[in-house]
Structure formats: structure tokens, C-alpha cells
Amino acid sequence: MTTPTQAAPKTIYDKIWDAHVVDTSEDGTCLLYIDRHLVHEVTSPQAFEGLRMTGRTVRAPQKTIAVPDHNVPTTEGRDIRIDNEESRIQVDALDKNARDFKINYYPVSDIRQGIVHIVGPEQGWTLPGMTVVCGDSHTATHGAFGALAHGIGTSEVEHVLATQTLIQKKSKNMKVEITGRLRPGVTAKDITLSVIGETGTAGGTGYVIEYCGEAIRELSMEGRMTVCNMAIEGGARAGLIAPDETTFAYVMGRPHAPKGAQWEAALAWWKTLFTDEGAHFDKVVTLRGEDIAPVVTWGTSPEDVLPITANVPALTDFTGGKVEAVQRALDYMGLTPGQKLTDIQIDTVFIGSCTNGRIEDLRAAAAILKGKKIAVKRAMVVPGSGLVRAQAEEEGLAKIFLDAGFEWRLAGCSMCLAMNPDQLAPGERCAATSNRNFEGRQGRGGRTHLMSPAMAAAAAITGHLTDVREMMAEPAEAI
Amino acid sequence: MDKFTTLTGIAAPMPLVNIDTDMIIPKQFLKTIKRSGLGVNLFDEMRYNQDGTEKPDFILNQPAYRSAEIIVAGDNFGCGSSREHAPWALLDFGIRCVISTSFADIFFSNCFKNGILPVVLPQEAVDALMEDAKKGANARITVDLASQTVTGTDGTTYGFEVDAFKKHCLLNGLDDIGLTLEKVTAIDRFEGQAAQSRPWV
Ligand code: SF4
């Protein structure tokens, strides 16, 4: 290590980390201050129970934000009654805990309710330079704002509730650079899946990733959230993107964003949040934006990624422990090596989740679907929040989905993890815009192919995995 | 939290790579508001048929491994979600130690909060211990946290690294929150300063 001098160049991760260290132990373990703590119904009940048992309180209720999302049905009437008893108990427990501990809360009856990682940014709770945690691995999403955001377990949820800090060791710095520009039909989802295809699901373990490069800079905030969201699927503790004018424009005017003089002060600090020239990265991965194609997953790990033009791989393409995993994945997915990906028939299409449940995602899917009908058994759109849903209705997107034959649901996690009634049946094959294709993720025996919203829309129309670029070639579909 | 000092027990071999938290404890069991009782559903979809009967070839259903206390696993064990239900389920089943070449970050830290020791060893050592584990009930592996060693059935000893603070907490069964609250003046001071420098937070 070089001796730290005042001018030692730092990464953005180093800067945010340094600004939040409360205490450092001899062995380098730090106590890190947490600016925002997001809470949902599944990973928090035991933490609140722990507080009650020890007579502790929530240290900073004004920095704690709760919303039910994982378990909630996405059909009408859920604010009156949730049929599944266990789900109802969890949601009721969150209602009660929010009330008892006086934390910010968006119940299912509130139009602002939605997936925790969509609500946080939407309401301006997530801001550049912050430390953000949540008992949920996709907390990485908030890194899109240049915040240090990561998932924690329930014991840590309790720790943050009680102390507003987290015991942490610093991760290493990793840079993922996407140079150049994306080609038409290629989206943020294709970037993030392609990176995982390149690094593997453990490639980021021990690192915090900074995504940079021209292709990243050109993404909207929605796209940046999609990229950072899946940092965890690459094993990284967090993923982040330095804030810029795109970020500031998104944040300005949000309900919990600073205003007036505080906005100016905040902005001045946010503008210092970038990686200094010459800062050290322990690992660097570079992809050319032009090389990225629309991709899909074929297996049961997010690293099982291939361009849509490819074929299902053979066992001989792999080595070591992965061979057994691939055999298992092929069996589970019901696929044959050599089969063209575009020949894979789809039963169901799911558009939603914290990866792709934002307004831009719905616009991208609707642009493909406009005037078309679905050729799959069922298709559903689950907007990421009540506000996304309302905006999509206002823009006429809901009508496009409904006319095409999609179900238009209320906000929640839904079929991303199928804890609510939205589940795949055994063997049912789904084109999904979510983030995990694990065995049983969307329902026991269900088969998941991950892809972008535009690709999922294309599959909905043809009934099989489809290269969205072919549909975009038609002049009527030009966006 | 229970202390972890030393453990000699049966180890179940699970060579599959990327065993994720959805496999360890599928989401339908996350609806509980308690920490206990998840052991019967550990590895539920791999362990049971749809009608609830056991799949006889799943490792933990085999007589030799029903009382396993250690798992020797393929790379990247515990990837996926942050659900602490995964270590709760392992613990409730009776697993106190998992040995692999690598673990997913959040799962790794969740283990320590629940008295489970995740041990990272190089590939050759994991391969050797995997062979030991396959010997079933006749073979016992010993894990000693104080000396940071794993001893295989033939007496070969493998040293492993463990974070000093985590080791201290696990050896003594210490509660993190209690330890952190001893630093409350430092937290107060930080909060006071931050209120000046970043009042919008
Ligand atoms: S949408 Fe899916 S990944 Fe995102 S928070 Fe909900 S369950 Fe988790």
C-alpha cells in the first residue's frame, strides 16, 4: 500500500466509505454510519422482535422507511384483505412495527406503495453519497445514484435499527467499464446480464463495483438502476455509478430530496463524488458497448447468459464443478444442447420487479407490443410502484398492455419470487424481466428465462424466445 | 447466539457449485415471523417430492447423513438473496459449519451472526474433505476455531483464515449489537457532525 497523503487518489467508493466511518478497530473492522434503512415485511419481523425482547428502540426512525412488497397480492382488494394467512400476518406485523416504532411507512393502501427499491428513489429517500441498506440483496439498485447501497441479513437489520450503524470491513474496488455505445435493441438489462456472463456469479465476491464508461453515462437513471440492481447477481457487495447531471435532474424536486440552500450544499458535495484520476482498482473488466447483444439466460444461474442468436450449450463447453450444475440446469430447464434459443417456446411472460418495473421499462415493452396480440398462455405486467402504475395509465401504456392481452396488476414483487399467489406451475416456462432464474424461484418446477422488457414483449408476441431487433426493423415499430 | 469452539461431526458432501439460498430454503418458508423451526424445510425442493415424501437419494435423507453437522460444498455456496432464513434453517437442522472454496458475501456474514462457521479452504483441501465426507458416518471431520484448523479423517490438518473480530464474537457467543452500543458516544459524535456537514440526510 502507498502511504496515504492528502492527494492520494480515491475511488468514489473510497470517498463514500471514508465519509461514513464512525470508528475503526485495530484489525480494520469499521463501524459505518447508515443514512437510510429500508425495511420490508419478510426480513424484518425477527429484527423488531429482537428489539422488543431486549428493550431497545429504533435509533433513527426518521431515516427508516418501510413498505410491504414481497408478499402482497397484486390484485384488487388487497388493502381490505390478504387471503393467505401467513402473508397477512407478515404484512400486519410490518403495519404494527411501523406504528410502534414510528418509522416512515407506505402501506398497501397508499398509492406510493411498491417495491422497496423502486419506492426509495422515487420518493427521494435515496440520494448520492449516502449509505443505504435493506434486508434485501437487491439494495444494490440504489447504487445508481452514487450511493453505497447493499443488502444485509436480519441480524444486521436489527443492528441498524438499534444503532444506525453496521459493522463492516471494506471491500476491494472493481471497475466495470462499458465503452462506446449500445446498438439498437440493446438495453441496460443486456449490459448487466452480459457482465455477469463475463465475470460469473462469484466474479464480484469481495468487491464493490463502479460501473463507468460512455455506455453507462448515456443511460437514464432507470437504466442505471437496472445495471446496479444485478451487481449482487455477480457476487459484488454493491455496484455504483458516479452521480452526474442525469442523477441530479432525477433527484431534484422529489418529496424527500433537499430543497433551497440545502439543495445547493448537497449538490456541491455530490459533485465531488467521482473516482479520482489514478485511483487504484483491484480488478478491471471492460466490455465494448457495440459487442453487447440482446441476451437471455438459458440455465438456472444468472451467469448462464447467451446472445439470443446462440444455441443451448453442451456439457463439453464447461469444466470442473460447473459440469454437474449445467447437466442439472439442462434437465431442470428441459433443454437440449444445440437447440436454437429462438426455438424455445414460452408459456408465460412476466414484466416487472425491481430490475425492470419502472416507467421506462413499461414504455420499452409497450413500444414493441403496440397493436399486437400475445401468443402465450398468460402475460402480466406488475408495475414497480403505485406511482409507476398511475403514470403508465396516464401515458396510455396500460391500454396497450391490456389490448395485447396482458394482465395489468397492482404494484409488488409478484412473480419475481412468487411468494404471493403469482406463481409458475411445474414445467411452466416464463420469459421474465426479473433477476433470478434459480430453480423454483418463480414457483416450484417453474422455468425462467431472464431478459429485457423489450425482449420479453417480443417473446409474448411470437410465443417463443425472439430477437427483438427483428421486430424493430419494421418501420411501424421504430421508436 | 451459541458459541462455536470446536466440532467433530459427520460431514455431508454437496459438490454442486452455486448452491443458492432459494435451494437452501425456498421462499414459501420465508413467511414465518420466527427464527426457529425451519430445519424440516432445509433444501426443501431437493429433499422432498411434491407429495411431501422424501427423495431417497438426496444426501441429507441418507441414513448416514441425517445427523450431519458439517456440509462440504461446491464453490460459491449461499449465493442469491440476503435471507437469514438460510442460516436459520441450516442451524435448526443441526449444521454448525460449512466448508467451501468460496461463499457469497451476505450469506457468509449471516452465518457468523448465528453461530455457524463458514470455512474457506483451497480447492485441493475441499476436494480431499469432499472425499472424506463421502465416507459417511464412519468418517468424522474436526473443526477447531481457536486454532483455525480442519482435520480430515486421515489426520491431515488444513489451516484456514478467519477475521479476528468475527472469530472473537463466535468463540464467545457475543451479540454484535451489545458491542456496538458500547460505542454510542462515537455514534452520537458522528451524528452531530453529520448534521452540520450533511444536514439534508
Ligand atoms: S422485485 Fe424481486 S428481487 Fe426485487 S425486491 Fe422484490 S423479490 Fe427481491
Side-chain angles (χ1 to χ4, degrees):
Chain A
M1 266 195 47
T2 49
T3 1
T5 65
Q6 218 173 358
K10 290 180 178 183
T11 64
I12 174 173
Y13 169 48
D14 299 337
K15 290 180 184 179
I16 301 174
W17 176 274
D18 291 349
H20 289 85
V21 174
V22 173
D23 184 68
T24 309
S25 304
E26 279 169 26
D27 69 346
T29 305
C30 291
L31 201 58
L32 207 62
Y33 193 80
I34 302 303
D35 294 327
R36 289 287 178 265
H37 186 191
L38 307 172
V39 174
H40 67 77
E41 78 279 22
V42 175
T43 54
S44 67
Q46 295 86 349
F48 286 109
E49 183 197 54
L51 290 186
R52 286 200 178 87
M53 272 164 27
T54 48
R56 290 170 179 147
T57 56
V58 176
R59 182 180 169 100
Q62 75 283 7
K63 298 177 183 178
T64 311
I65 301 100
V67 58
D69 55 3
H70 281 62
N71 252 317
V72 297
T74 53
T75 42
E76 299 287 348
R78 63 183 187 173
D79 48 338
I80 299 165
R81 188 185 158 78
I82 296 176
D83 287 332
N84 181 288
E85 191 188 346
E86 290 167 302
S87 298
R88 188 173 65 241
I89 291 172
Q90 272 193 342
V91 173
D92 287 350
L94 189 64
D95 284 348
K96 178 169 165 37
N97 289 329
R99 220 178 315 123
D100 288 359
F101 292 97
K102 300 189 171 53
I103 60 185
N104 299 289
Y105 190 48
Y106 302 100
V108 278
S109 56
D110 193 313
I111 191 172
R112 298 166 298 177
Q113 178 271 345
I115 304 168
V116 64
H117 308 308
I118 292 193
V119 173
E122 204 168 69
Q123 294 300 319
W125 290 114
T126 308
L127 298 171
M130 281 185 162
T131 45
V132 181
V133 296
C134 174
D136 188 279
S137 53
H138 292 96
T139 311
T141 313
H142 308 264
F145 291 80
L148 175 58
H150 59 84
I152 54 178
T154 298
S155 296
E156 289 173 320
V157 170
E158 187 178 339
H159 191 279
V160 177
L161 288 172
T163 69
Q164 205 58 28
T165 64
L166 202 57
I167 299 171
Q168 287 277 291
K169 268 218 165 136
K170 199 171 172 206
S171 304
K172 290 179 281 184
N173 279 289
M174 173 166 171
K175 173 158 93 170
V176 172
E177 185 175 13
I178 315 293
T179 62
R181 301 198 142 178
L182 300 180
R183 295 189 187 278
V186 180
T187 68
K189 184 65 164 286
D190 301 299
I191 295 181
T192 203
L193 282 171
S194 298
V195 170
I196 298 162
E198 179 80 19
T199 62
T201 49
T205 305
Y207 295 95
V208 165
I209 297 176
E210 178 180 354
Y211 297 96
C212 60
E214 189 186 352
I216 298 288
R217 286 263 78 90
E218 296 217 333
L219 291 175
S220 64
M221 284 316 294
E222 281 86 352
R224 293 179 191 188
M225 285 188 253
T226 302
V227 170
C228 291
N229 173 277
M230 291 194 70
I232 182 72
E233 253 55 66
R237 172 163 298 169
L240 44 70
I241 295 172
D244 60 11
E245 292 306 323
T246 306
T247 323
F248 308 143
Y250 179 99
V251 169
M252 195 162 81
R254 303 258 157 199
H256 296 279
K259 315 256 166 352
Q262 285 205 2
W263 170 264
E264 295 306 324
L267 198 60
W269 187 56
W270 295 345
K271 287 184 173 169
T272 68
L273 298 175
F274 53 83
T275 291
D276 297 329
E277 194 76 38
H280 176 71
F281 283 97
D282 303 278
K283 186 168 175 176
V284 178
V285 172
T286 308
L287 263 63
R288 279 165 34 100
E290 293 82 2
D291 291 347
I292 300 175
V295 291
V296 295
T297 62
W298 53 268
T300 54
S301 165
E303 71 190 15
D304 300 338
V305 174
L306 282 172
I308 182 66
T309 47
N311 299 339
V312 174
L315 283 182
T316 47
D317 299 337
F318 301 90
T319 54
K322 183 76 184 165
V323 178
E324 188 192 340
V326 169
Q327 180 63 61
R328 195 181 161 92
L330 291 174
D331 292 346
Y332 182 87
M333 294 296 289
L335 298 175
T336 324
Q339 184 180 4
K340 284 175 72 177
L341 290 174
T342 47
D343 285 345
I344 297 173
Q345 300 293 317
I346 295 295
D347 304 308
T348 298
V349 172
F350 168 66
I351 295 177
S353 88
C354 59
T355 316
N356 286 122
R358 284 169 286 268
I359 190 70
E360 201 174 85
D361 302 313
L362 304 194
R363 286 185 195 133
I368 302 296
L369 287 166
K370 194 166 186 180
K372 303 266 173 57
K373 293 269 183 243
I374 62 168
V376 287
K377 292 197 195 91
R378 61 170 170 163
M380 65 167 88
V381 185
V382 185
S385 71
L387 291 174
V388 169
R389 187 172 193 268
Q391 188 177 351
E393 285 175 352
E394 213 176 285
E395 292 183 13
L397 307 179
K399 187 163 184 326
I400 296 175
F401 285 116
L402 285 164
D403 288 351
F406 271 77
E407 296 170 34
W408 181 245
R409 297 298 193 92
L410 299 177
C413 294
S414 177
M415 207 189 263
C416 172
L417 94 166
M419 265 186 90
N420 76 349
D422 308 336
Q423 302 184 4
L424 296 181
E428 189 174 345
R429 192 181 293 281
C430 180
T433 65
S434 44
N435 45 54
R436 289 199 174 129
N437 51 355
F438 298 156
E439 284 180 23
R441 170 77 176 181
Q442 296 195 283
R444 189 177 177 128
R447 295 164 170 168
T448 304
H449 296 276
L450 302 175
M451 64 199 75
S452 73
M455 287 283 286
I461 296 167
T462 62
H464 55 83
L465 294 182
T466 299
D467 190 338
V468 68
R469 292 171 296 193
E470 287 163 17
M471 299 199 161
M472 296 174 65
E474 296 165 35
E477 297 309 321
I479 307 170
Chain B
M1 184 180 87
D2 285 343
K3 293 178 186 181
F4 187 106
T5 49
T6 174
L7 167 71
T8 299
I10 297 169
M14 297 190 76
L16 194 64
V17 300
N18 296 333
I19 292 181
D20 58 67
T21 52
D22 281 75
M23 287 184 191
I24 299 172
I25 185 82
K27 71 242 156 194
Q28 59 269 34
F29 306 109
L30 310 189
K31 294 188 176 182
T32 172
I33 54 170
K34 302 204 185 72
R35 291 172 201 247
S36 55
L38 290 165
V40 289
N41 304 113
L42 177 70
F43 295 114
D44 194 83
E45 290 175 10
M46 300 163 96
R47 193 164 149 206
Y48 304 106
N49 294 306
Q50 196 106 43
D51 63 5
T53 54
E54 289 185 358
K55 295 184 181 174
D57 37 347
F58 181 66
I59 193 80
L60 296 180
N61 288 335
Q62 295 170 20
Y65 297 106
R66 284 179 181 269
S67 54
E69 293 173 272
I70 300 168
I71 291 177
V72 184
D75 309 345
N76 199 27
F77 189 86
C79 58
S81 90
S82 64
R83 61 189 69 165
E84 202 158 313
H85 308 69
W88 294 339
L90 287 165
L91 189 66
D92 198 57
F93 181 90
I95 303 292
R96 294 295 308 276
C97 174
V98 185
I99 300 171
S100 178
T101 54
S102 57
F103 292 88
D105 191 43
I106 304 176
F107 175 82
F108 188 75
S109 106
N110 281 343
C111 281
F112 283 98
K113 315 272 180 202
N114 292 283
I116 297 175
L117 176 65
V119 173
V120 179
L121 286 174
Q123 189 72 55
E124 306 78 53
V126 173
D127 289 346
L129 291 167
M130 192 73 76
E131 289 309 312
D132 283 349
K134 287 179 185 162
K135 295 176 193 157
N138 303 327
R140 278 159 204 267
I141 291 177
T142 297
V143 184
D144 184 59
L145 178 55
S147 68
Q148 299 180 207
T149 54
V150 177
T151 308
T153 48
D154 62 354
T156 313
T157 293
Y158 310 91
F160 62 88
E161 296 292 321
V162 57
D163 179 90
F165 176 71
K166 291 192 165 102
K167 176 178 175 179
H168 173 71
C169 290
L170 204 51
L171 277 176
N172 299 291
L174 295 177
D175 159 26
D176 278 356
I177 300 180
L179 291 174
T180 298
L181 286 174
E182 289 172 11
K183 297 181 179 165
V184 73
T185 37
I187 304 174
D188 288 342
R189 195 175 337 111
F190 181 94
E191 228 166 35
Q193 284 163 1
Q196 299 293 316
S197 59
R198 296 185 298 130
W200 61 86
V201 175

